[in-house]
Amino acid sequence: MPELPEAEVVRSGLHRWVVGRTVEQVTILGDRTLRRYPGNAAEFADRLRNRRFTGAHRRGKFLWLTVDSGDDALAVHLGMSGQLVLPQGGGDGSHHMRARLTFTDGGLPLHFLDQRTFGWLTLEPLVAGVGGRLVTESAARIAPDPFEAGFDDAVAARRLRQTTRQLKAALLDQHLISGIGNIYADEALWRARKHWATPANRLTPKAARDLIGYARDVMSESLAAGGTSFDSLYVNVNGQSGYFSRDLNVYGRQNEPCPRCGTAIVRESFANRSSFRCPRCQRRPRASA
DNA sequence: GATCGGCCCTGCCCGC
DNA sequence: TGCGGGCAGGGCCGAT
């Protein structure tokens, strides 16, 4: 499931393998792929044809490729099962293919695969964001991620402490801090010894800064391992999976011993998804402050 | 405005 | 073997 580290691995691959190439043809296969694009598939393809990609960028889980026209970018969100791959041999090979871009150099095409169809492509204008950085409109609506130059730990910690929401909901809110998904939220909370239901406004300033630091640490470590992968749903542009799943402390480790205290990890339901924690290290907060 | 819950969607897994 | 239900979860939207 692509979160920030996985998106960064993909961005890096796009930078290496796609930037500098000129689009020859665009084929859209999925009805939902362009659901955020106001026009139709033919118009979308026309606007990309003969355009050269000039850069690969990311904020949180949002990716975009700038083009030589300068005013628009190809924006991509991988959802929970999206992949951007350059298939060896250039063939199809997957009935999950939602879009295909070929290039004038005759090299490997770029395929957008998406099993669960939560991902999307669109063309968006670039707007000035934090620090004057040009970002897509959709990326401008979310907060900077912890790896951006414009990210301020103190500001993020203050915003975190201004909400009464449960800590995990706040961490997952891309408008507060972008890039954190279900896996890294659980891992950061474990490192911080915080229960997911703790009201965010109950954190001390130091605890809020520490939590953000833990989130950055765990994502940084994941990035160094090439991302987290449990199955074939997440791969880099070369179709390879990451290795960080073996280093997770709580996520997906129900009934396994907590690496810190040995207590069995529990799985709980949180907002229609799973949450994993150590019941001893991460005790449920008192009902009221 | 802030918060919360439901929905979208497909494929895998498990129990019956 | 086949069927139904549960599960995975990022982002959006409507209700409160």
Side-chain angles (χ1 to χ4, degrees), chain A residues 1 31 43 68 89 98 104 144 182 198 208 258:
Chain A
M1 286 143 266
D31 291 340
E43 184 199 341
D68 57 2
R98 310 300 178 194
T104 57
N182 203 40
T198 305
C258 167

Side-chain angles (χ1 to χ4, degrees), chain A residues 211-268:
Chain A
L211 180 57
I212 291 166
Y214 289 132
R216 181 191 287 111
D217 288 347
V218 70
M219 290 193 290
S220 181
E221 291 165 24
S222 173
L223 186 54
T228 299
S229 179
F230 296 101
D231 49 36
S232 61
L233 283 186
Y234 160 69
V235 294
N236 65 16
V237 294
N238 294 318
Q240 297 162 331
S241 296
Y243 295 98
F244 191 64
S245 60
R246 65 184 65 167
D247 296 320
L248 295 174
N249 289 301
V250 284
Y251 188 86
R253 301 205 181 279
Q254 184 180 12
N255 296 326
E256 294 182 31
C258 167
R260 202 159 42 205
C261 73
T263 306
I265 301 297
V266 297
R267 173 184 170 276
E268 295 164 322

Side-chain angles (χ1 to χ4, degrees), chain A residues 63-143:
Chain A
L63 295 160
W64 66 94
L65 285 161
T66 48
V67 296
D68 57 2
S69 62
D71 42 5
D72 280 337
L74 172 61
V76 184
H77 198 294
L78 301 175
M80 51 179 292
S81 59
Q83 302 172 4
L84 284 168
V85 295
L86 293 99
Q88 298 302 313
D92 173 4
S94 171
H95 67 282
H96 299 309
M97 184 163 70
R98 310 300 178 194
R100 171 181 163 95
L101 277 69
T102 61
F103 298 95
T104 57
D105 59 14
L108 293 178
L110 179 66
H111 287 183
F112 177 58
L113 314 178
D114 192 8
Q115 180 190 97
R116 298 177 189 170
T117 71
F118 280 31
W120 47 260
L121 305 179
T122 191
L123 285 166
E124 290 185 344
L126 295 169
V127 298
V130 176
R133 181 190 177 197
L134 285 177
V135 300
T136 57
E137 282 186 337
S138 53
R141 287 196 288 269
I142 64 172

Side-chain angles (χ1 to χ4, degrees), chain A residues 5-54:
Chain A
E6 292 73 38
E8 174 56 24
V9 170
V10 171
R11 187 210 63 78
S12 174
L14 291 172
H15 175 76
R16 180 172 179 185
W17 300 106
V18 175
V19 168
R21 303 175 72 191
T22 300
V23 177
E24 183 177 50
Q25 284 208 330
V26 179
T27 307
I28 301 296
L29 298 167
D31 291 340
R32 285 170 49 80
T33 307
L34 294 183
R35 64 187 181 279
R36 290 175 65 122
Y37 181 68
N40 58 36
E43 184 199 341
F44 179 85
D46 279 345
R47 288 177 62 185
L48 272 179
R49 191 172 300 122
N50 295 321
R51 289 296 175 197
R52 185 172 59 86
F53 289 124
T54 56

